[in-house]
Amino acid sequence: MIDDLNELRTFDRIVHGGSLSAAARDLGISLAVVSKRLTALERRVQVRLLNRSTRRASLTDEGSLFHLHCRRVLDAVEAAEAALEQRQDVVAGVLKLTAPNGFGRRHVVPAVRSFQQAHPGVRVHLSLRDELVDLVGEGVELALRYGALDDSRLVARELAPNRRILCASPDYLQRRGTPSSIDDLHGHDLIASGSPPVSQWVFAQPGGTIAFPLDASTLCDDGEAAQILAVQGAGIARKSIWDVADDLDAGRLKEVLPNCALATSPLSAVYAPGKQVAPRVRAFLGHMVQQLQQSAGWRHANRTMPAIALTGS
């Protein structure tokens, strides 16, 4: 079986140039490499393809027949390559992407709709999951994620800043009081979320972090459900600012301990490495950033943090 296009291309260049040395000059490789490729090809097909002397090479009868089919193969490959080149600026095809549940519903779904209106040639396969998706294994082109990469095969590009905050409903804070320090959280109903739910909240400070162990009154493996519980007055939850910005603006939630920064990571676009990112992926990322910049989340995420107060006086 012939599985090396370089051998076919080299054979074609020898026929075209009339000698091995002409093929070497045409391909920009050494004469020894040309000879090696020709020998390997003849060994694969088990027949002599060329009669060759020091200066000239001529086709045998078998070589003439083989070159006819060889040229058809190379023409098909070149046509396929040309078709791909023509698509380099065409935003079309199937875009497979994934995002976390809450963020995906609020931000990705509207962006997908407006993106497809602008680019009707794109079909979108969207998967909303809080757990990490194996991009390579599942053939996903793009993932929107919070946090650091856990797979060295992938490439990440920061799309937007992100803050995690503690938040609760005005009703809850009126009933239970508003914490003024991290220590005050011990007297409150806390909602732990995640899969599995987190066991601590980590606060950032200059030179290190402080881990606050959770004795949660509610455990929830779904971040969206944890947010609904917080809005309904069940307690204090930790959420990404991108999830709760609209609730903050509408007064359904209030930020708790705004002077205490929680450890966080930016929102990133993650994709598998390759020579070139598909035009549809590049176009969607640009569209996604534009949509984020127009949202309440962008304004809240870029808010300047005040000095950190770690404990009460």
Side-chain angles (χ1 to χ4, degrees):
M1 181 179 67
I2 300 171
D3 56 6
D4 191 336
L5 283 176
N6 283 329
E7 292 176 3
L8 295 183
R9 289 191 173 106
T10 300
F11 172 60
D12 179 64
R13 290 296 86 196
I14 295 172
V15 174
H16 179 78
S19 69
L20 274 67
S21 57
R25 290 192 300 271
D26 191 12
L27 294 169
I29 57 179
S30 70
L31 181 59
V33 171
V34 170
S35 178
K36 182 178 179 181
R37 288 179 181 176
L38 176 60
T39 300
L41 180 60
E42 289 181 327
R43 186 180 300 115
R44 289 180 195 276
V45 298
Q46 298 182 343
V47 67
R48 187 174 184 85
L49 299 173
L50 291 166
N51 294 313
R52 46 197 181 271
S53 64
T54 304
R55 295 186 177 182
R56 298 294 300 170
S58 60
L59 287 166
T60 64
D61 287 345
E62 294 80 5
S64 180
L65 177 63
F66 183 78
H67 182 252
L68 176 66
H69 292 282
C70 169
R71 194 55 255 173
R72 290 174 182 170
V73 170
L74 293 176
D75 286 342
V77 172
E78 289 167 6
E81 291 173 342
L84 288 178
E85 288 177 0
Q86 292 174 2
R87 282 181 57 116
Q88 292 308 306
D89 296 323
V90 176
V91 180
V94 178
L95 173 61
K96 297 185 68 174
L97 71 150
T98 182
N101 277 306
F103 179 85
R105 293 190 187 100
R106 288 181 183 84
H107 301 286
V108 180
V109 170
V112 164
R113 175 56 182 154
S114 55
F115 180 72
Q116 286 185 302
Q117 288 175 327
H119 303 285
V122 177
R123 290 181 294 149
V124 176
H125 294 182
L126 174 61
S127 174
L128 299 183
R129 292 186 252 174
D130 287 334
E131 68 270 19
L132 295 181
V133 176
D134 180 1
L135 271 61
V136 176
E138 297 191 27
V140 176
E141 284 186 298
L142 175 65
L144 303 179
R145 290 180 180 174
Y146 299 120
L149 286 178
D150 64 338
D151 189 335
S152 61
R153 297 175 299 172
L154 304 178
V155 177
R157 167 192 164 190
E158 185 175 331
L159 288 187
N162 175 42
R163 290 195 299 121
R164 287 194 180 101
I165 68 166
L166 300 184
C167 55
S169 70
D171 172 69
Y172 173 85
L173 296 175
Q174 185 177 9
R175 286 186 289 109
R176 300 295 303 276
T178 300
S180 59
S181 71
I182 294 175
D183 289 341
D184 289 346
L185 292 173
H186 288 293
H188 282 269
D189 295 330
L190 307 179
I191 303 170
S193 61
S195 181
V198 298
S199 60
Q200 61 183 15
W201 288 338
V202 179
F203 293 86
Q205 62 170 322
T209 59
I210 287 181
F212 177 83
L214 290 180
D215 182 15
S217 59
T218 305
L219 299 176
C220 183
D221 65 359
D222 180 80
E224 189 85 354
Q227 184 169 338
I228 293 172
L229 286 167
V231 169
Q232 293 177 344
I236 300 173
R238 184 192 70 170
K239 292 295 299 179
S240 164
I241 196 65
W242 289 101
D243 293 333
V244 298
D246 290 336
D247 284 339
L248 293 173
D249 282 356
R252 292 184 291 267
L253 289 173
K254 287 189 174 182
E255 186 171 357
V256 174
L257 297 178
N259 293 346
C260 299
L262 286 156
T264 189
S265 297
L267 173 69
S268 296
V270 180
Y271 44 89
K275 292 183 178 179
Q276 189 168 5
V277 178
R280 60 183 171 272
V281 176
R282 296 198 308 269
F284 181 78
L285 286 178
H287 182 77
M288 189 77 235
V289 170
Q290 289 180 345
Q291 298 298 301
L292 293 176
Q293 289 175 341
Q294 296 170 10
S295 69
W298 185 270
R299 172 167 43 83
H300 283 280
N302 285 278
R303 178 174 71 83
T304 302
M305 291 298 297
I308 298 172
L310 295 173
T311 60
S313 56

